[in-house]
Amino acid sequence: DALSIALVHEVLVRDHAVIVLGGGLSGAGAALLDPLRRALADRLLLREVPELRLARLGALAGRAGAARIAWELAAAGPDRCQV
């Protein structure tokens, strides 16, 4: 329930067409996506429910994203490495 509420707020603020779930959540598969789709449909009355997908990298998605950001910051040089 908390995840659907958080995603509804995200959709209302940023108007996502697709939401990709990764990390440990991706292992739940349809057991997560099916009820989540229904919960979003119940809460997003005046908007289309965004497509929900599971990250192809599964549980490694978070690490891969962090590594990519680190790589891009390193390539940008020391002046751009302010977090």
Side-chain angles (χ1 to χ4, degrees):
D1 204 37
L3 179 58
S4 68
I5 292 169
L7 291 178
V8 164
H9 288 280
E10 183 68 18
V11 169
L12 292 174
V13 170
R14 298 180 191 230
D15 197 27
H16 294 289
V18 177
I19 295 174
V20 179
L21 300 170
L25 289 174
S26 62
L32 172 70
L33 293 183
D34 294 341
L36 188 54
R37 282 185 185 106
R38 287 191 298 272
L40 290 176
D42 289 345
R43 289 185 166 90
L44 290 170
L45 301 177
L46 301 176
R47 293 207 178 195
E48 187 174 327
V49 175
E51 180 182 350
L52 297 179
R53 295 184 191 170
L54 296 175
R56 282 185 266 160
L57 296 176
L60 298 175
R63 283 185 238 163
R68 180 176 178 189
I69 291 170
W71 185 267
E72 290 173 356
L73 287 173
D79 294 340
R80 299 276 318 258
C81 290
Q82 297 175 1
V83 179

